Amino acid sequence: MPVPRIIDFGVAKATSQRLGADTIYTQLGAVIGTLGYMSPEQADSAGQDIDTRSDVYSLGVVLYELLVGAQPLNLNKLAYDEGLRSLREDDAPKLSTKLRASGPQSDATAKNRSTDLPTLARQLHGDPDAIVLKALEKDRKRRYASPHEFADDLRRYLRDEPVSAHSPSTAYRARKYIRRHRVGVALAATAVLLLLAFAVTEAFQLRRIRRERDRADRISNFMTDMFKVSDPSQARGNDIRVREVLDKASTQIRTGLAQDPIVQSQLMQVMGTVYKELGLFPQSESLTRQALAIRTQVLGKNNRDTLRSMDALATELNEESHYAESERLAREEIEANRRLDGPEARSTVASMMTRGVALADLGRYPDAEQQNRQALEIAKRKFGPADELTKSLSGNLAIELAYQGKFADAEKAFLETFEMNRDSLGADHVATLRSEGNLGATLLQEKKYAEAEKTFRDVVEGERRVLGPEHPTTLLSDGNLALTLTQEQHYPEAESMFRQTLQAKRNKLGPEHRSTLVTADNLSEVLRFEGKLPEAEDLARQTLEAERRTLGNDHSDTQAAMGALGEVLTAEKHYPEAEKILLEAYATRLRVLGHDDPDTAESGLALGECYALEGEKGRGIHPIERCCRA
């Protein structure tokens, strides 16, 4: 049966004035009241003011206990401070949830309702849950504003009318939880973010590792396939050379790695370099062009790998005597490297060196010297005098000086470079042999024939041992040795060496390669010295025609070929045609090289000799005046 009780909601409060001297006035921050029924704001010592919404909370506790036989929060077994904390922070469960979880807690409910708990739980689900939980809201702004408003919602429920209470949303509950547990939530959120970041990083690394593994597998499979040519079942007892392995691989690389253009271009570039080192320039050019095209398309024009392919192609084009295209590519490369790395970066200086070589081979010696001096000044300051790039630039500058007739300066520079390379790299290093060959060429220009011959014989012996007898560099040195023998008037030996070298260059480099044409021109001179004039004339005409077509009339090689043909025609007493050719050679050299250049003087002497033999001795004395009038 119902039993009347006296209920303490919490405390009474004077709202306007002190009621008397003996009355205790409730102060802000003082915790006063019965723990099980006081509101969260009463349990808060932070100084919240207390109003009638605190009574709403206490009424909600009473209603909760009447309906399910237990208070919303189990505070009996907690220490006082812990109970206050739970009151401030822990949310009351729904009536229906509390009933299902623990059953009735009072004797009356145990006796009268224990057999009908599921029905009671269903009755309390919905509006009763919402009404009671609204009265028990921790945030009093969401609570009923007064007991009267609380009572009105209960009456609406009993009349089956819509109630104003509703269950708090999940988002609202989440916000309350975060406010109560700021530190814990922050730590948990940080941990989650770190885990997510770690997971993303791991996923990215895993994808990268898989990509690199797949790429390595493709390279490994390709390399294995490439060397299958040496399998006895495929070789059929034949010796397999590096050239055969490269040729097979260069065919397979165009299709076997098409699905990975980055790896494809990388291997093309490597194989192109190998072909170049073997002196197989057309094959090298083909692969390097394809590598450059792929990298330009996939990586862009300003990518460093793209620019490296551009530099390699410019170098190979220069080796094949395509000087104009080589110079254009090198110029583009310089500008791109300046934008990407800066005007004094190593890549920029290296591309300046490539352009300097192309300018020299185009016969633009002052421009080449200016380009090389500018690059050398940067290299010495930035990288030091012992740096490989600095030494290469120093050697190239010496070549430009030699081309311009500054032989004493060139000899000094070449000797210094040769000794530096020999001491640091060894006598058989390719760079040492190259600098020694340049020294020999300078000695030849200075007419120090004995020293030049000794130098070239050492170079040829070393290059045949290191590079092989048919390597373009070896063939170049063979030609220089034959030229030295010509100057020493050892014509039979010179002719034999020139013939062998010319045939090897035609096979290796092609009939119109600059180096091939230079050797042909030199052979025609030896034949003239030996009195084999018809063969000398035929060879000289072919050479001049090819050089006019490939190098232009103003190139130094073309001028030399004019002089060679003119002298052969003079020896054959074909004076009118000889005069015409020699006059053209002299006028060109006078315009291009100037009055004081030794080559200009040599052309003037040859023209004067032609006049003298023709019977016009007076004209032979002053060829310069005749040329100027012409």
Side-chain angles (χ1 to χ4, degrees), residues 5 65 98 100-101 134 144 154 166 205 213 227 273 356 429 456 461 472 497 547 611:
R5 295 174 182 271
E65 190 172 4
K98 182 82 169 181
R100 283 193 295 266
K134 182 171 182 178
Y144 291 109
L154 287 170
H166 56 82
Q205 292 291 345
R213 181 196 62 198
F227 285 102
T273 302
H429 195 278
F456 280 129
E461 180 184 353
M497 180 165 278
E547 288 181 336
Y611 289 151

Side-chain angles (χ1 to χ4, degrees), residues 388-410:
E388 291 301 318
L389 183 57
T390 306
K391 290 190 289 186
S392 295
L393 284 165
S394 179
N396 288 348
L397 179 61
I399 292 174
E400 311 314 327
L401 295 172
Y403 272 128
Q404 296 178 83
K406 303 173 183 178
F407 300 121
D409 293 338

